[in-house]
Amino acid sequence: MLQAQQKEDTMGMLSGKRALVIGVASKLSIAYGIADALHREGCDLAFTYQNDKLKDRVLGFAEGWGTPASRCFPCDVASDADIDHAFVELASQWDGLDILIHCVAFAPGDQLAGRFVDVTTREGFHVAHDVSAYSLIGVTRAAQPLMSGRAGSIITLSYLGAVQTMPNYNVMGLAKASLEAGVRYLATSLGPEGHRVNAISAGPIRTLAASGIKDFRSMLAYNASRTPLRRNTTIEEVGNTAAFLGSDLASGITGQVIYVDNGFSITAMGESDNA
Ligand code: NAD
Ligand code: 0WE
């Protein structure tokens, strides 16, 4: 019993693995929930942050998970040079990488409010697809040398707006559709190397990226009341699914979009307890 207990204290399903987490901005970030779950399961972590404004915050969180500042790098995923630089720096710290967490999305604010046909611009379309969909391909390519020979797991975050319309999600829905297709093409092209690529499609969660969205509070209330499990998704639930997908327990899963939404997406017309 004592031996079993000790084993439980020191071993997790990701012990001996190394992950790079892209997209921590606050304690509410989905990437924060993922980093926390990976760390709990024994994974060693490295981080990138978008810009200098986020640097100190990310360094502070990283320290809490036992990650030194030397394993935190700036990286604006809209820049090829930043992506290349971040992986050169990572390669000076680590000789291998097992898990890549891509937890990034952006569209200009004016794209996410109003009638899709009226508000969607060429520039808005371009930025949304560049930052939210192309970037997965860019960082995955940059990670290849470090992942070589290690059966890597690449995980990104999507949303139901990729496959069904959602008021105001607008061009982000198109970018998520592209991201999900990218998951399938990356899974196909990296399968022969032994790498897996999957997306987690999370239910709505109050994060920084959601805080600017009009009526997000009422969306959360609607979602909780119509969802089979009658509650909203948490970053802990997404983190636990990412830990599973990153682990060898998920060795047969690639190219998939796994819904972590308390069942919202399976209903055509959600029933609520009241009217
Ligand atoms: P968040 O604001 O905490 O995280 C978004 C992250 O994207 C931030 O860390 C930000 O710095 C980063 N980012 C944006 N542009 C970048 C760039 N050019 N270069 C580098 N980093 C950049 O919000 P979140 O909700 O945790 O979002 C993470 C992911 O989860 C996104 O892909 C989002 O679409 C997805 N998602 C969110 C929800 C939700 O309801 N919150 C639901 C499903 C999926
Ligand atoms: O993917 C997202 C949000 C991504 C996002 C958020 C912002 C807000 C600030 C991308 N770009 C920006 N740009 C900004 O200027 N989610 C899944 C959360 C989300 O956003 C919505 C949602 C949901 C859910 C927007 C409209 C409707 C629903």
Side-chain angles (χ1 to χ4, degrees):
M1 178 58 207
L2 185 64
Q3 250 179 345
Q5 186 66 50
Q6 274 173 355
K7 194 167 176 210
E8 206 172 275
D9 289 345
T10 54
M11 295 276 289
M13 66 177 168
L14 299 175
S15 62
K17 291 196 190 286
R18 292 164 164 173
L20 175 67
V21 180
I22 303 176
V24 177
S26 81
K27 279 205 162 205
L28 302 175
S29 289
I30 293 175
Y32 184 100
I34 293 175
D36 210 39
L38 299 185
H39 173 257
R40 184 194 70 220
E41 295 301 330
C43 195
D44 284 331
L45 301 176
F47 297 89
T48 67
Y49 48 88
Q50 184 183 354
N51 52 43
D52 274 351
K53 270 192 296 190
L54 292 172
K55 178 178 181 179
D56 289 344
R57 209 176 319 158
V58 171
L59 260 57
F61 296 148
E63 192 178 14
W65 292 308
T67 297
S70 57
R71 266 194 264 136
C72 301
F73 317 104
C75 182
D76 182 330
V77 299
S79 156
D80 288 339
D82 273 26
I83 292 174
D84 288 346
H85 189 249
F87 279 90
V88 166
E89 293 288 311
L90 183 62
S92 77
Q93 300 292 316
W94 277 351
D95 59 6
L97 181 69
D98 303 289
I99 299 171
L100 178 60
I101 305 293
H102 173 275
C103 210
V104 169
F106 181 77
D110 63 355
Q111 301 295 292
L112 300 177
R115 202 164 77 131
F116 175 69
V117 67
D118 296 331
V119 303
T120 307
T121 62
R122 190 183 297 275
E123 173 67 7
F125 180 102
H126 173 82
V127 170
H129 284 73
D130 185 29
V131 174
S132 315
Y134 171 76
S135 65
L136 176 68
I137 302 162
V139 298
T140 296
R141 181 170 44 246
Q144 288 314 290
L146 275 172
M147 278 196 162
S148 168
R150 294 177 79 106
S153 175
I154 295 144
I155 301 165
T156 187
L157 266 293
S158 194
Y159 180 57
L160 182 60
V163 293
Q164 295 183 21
T165 65
M166 192 71 64
N168 298 319
Y169 200 60
N170 294 351
V171 77
M172 270 307 305
L174 283 70
K176 291 301 194 187
S178 173
L179 178 75
E180 292 184 4
V183 164
R184 292 185 284 272
Y185 276 90
L186 287 170
T188 301
S189 68
L190 296 177
E193 317 294 318
H195 304 323
R196 298 179 295 106
V197 187
N198 293 289
I200 296 171
S201 186
I205 302 175
R206 193 177 61 83
T207 62
L208 282 185
S211 67
I213 307 302
K214 191 166 148 276
D215 293 336
F216 199 77
R217 273 172 61 102
S218 50
M219 234 186 78
L220 283 179
Y222 176 89
N223 192 72
S225 72
R226 308 292 154 135
T227 264
L229 291 171
R230 295 293 194 279
R231 52 184 156 81
N232 283 313
T233 304
T234 65
I235 63 171
E236 288 79 14
E237 289 172 324
V238 177
N240 286 334
T241 302
F244 165 67
L245 285 175
S247 80
D248 300 337
L249 294 175
S251 61
I253 303 178
T254 194
Q256 295 300 318
V257 180
I258 310 285
Y259 283 77
V260 180
D261 67 347
N262 290 312
F264 185 83
S265 59
I266 64 160
T267 66
M269 191 156 94
E271 300 169 45
S272 89
D273 294 323
N274 306 311

